[in-house]
Amino acid sequence: MSQLQKLLMTISLLFIVICLAVCIYFSVALPSNDPNAVTFYVMTAIFGFAAVWFTITFIKSLKK
């Protein structure tokens, strides 16, 4: 894997983790009766899955 590809994948993973952290923060900070709370619960699940999947893909690509 070239250095540019490693850099871009690292930056992408960093942005996914930042988005996940923001979604977790708003999921915890918003009261449960807020209509936007469900949206942040769903976004937290999506970004959590994306972070796990992208990390596994990144580690596998480094081994090649």
Side-chain angles (χ1 to χ4, degrees), residues 42-57:
V42 172
M43 288 172 53
T44 300
I46 290 171
F47 277 115
F49 177 74
V52 170
W53 176 70
F54 200 87
T55 302
I56 292 170
T57 304

Side-chain angles (χ1 to χ4, degrees), residues 1-27:
M1 179 186 290
S2 72
Q3 291 297 100
L4 181 60
Q5 287 175 330
K6 286 181 186 177
L7 177 67
L8 290 175
M9 286 187 79
T10 304
I11 291 171
S12 297
L13 183 59
L14 179 68
F15 282 123
I16 290 172
V17 170
I18 289 171
C19 291
L20 176 62
V22 169
C23 288
I24 290 171
Y25 171 75
F26 280 114
S27 294

Side-chain angles (χ1 to χ4, degrees), residues 33-51:
N33 59 355
D34 190 336
N36 295 321
V38 175
T39 303
F40 282 105
Y41 295 148
V42 172
M43 288 172 53
T44 300
I46 290 171
F47 277 115
F49 177 74

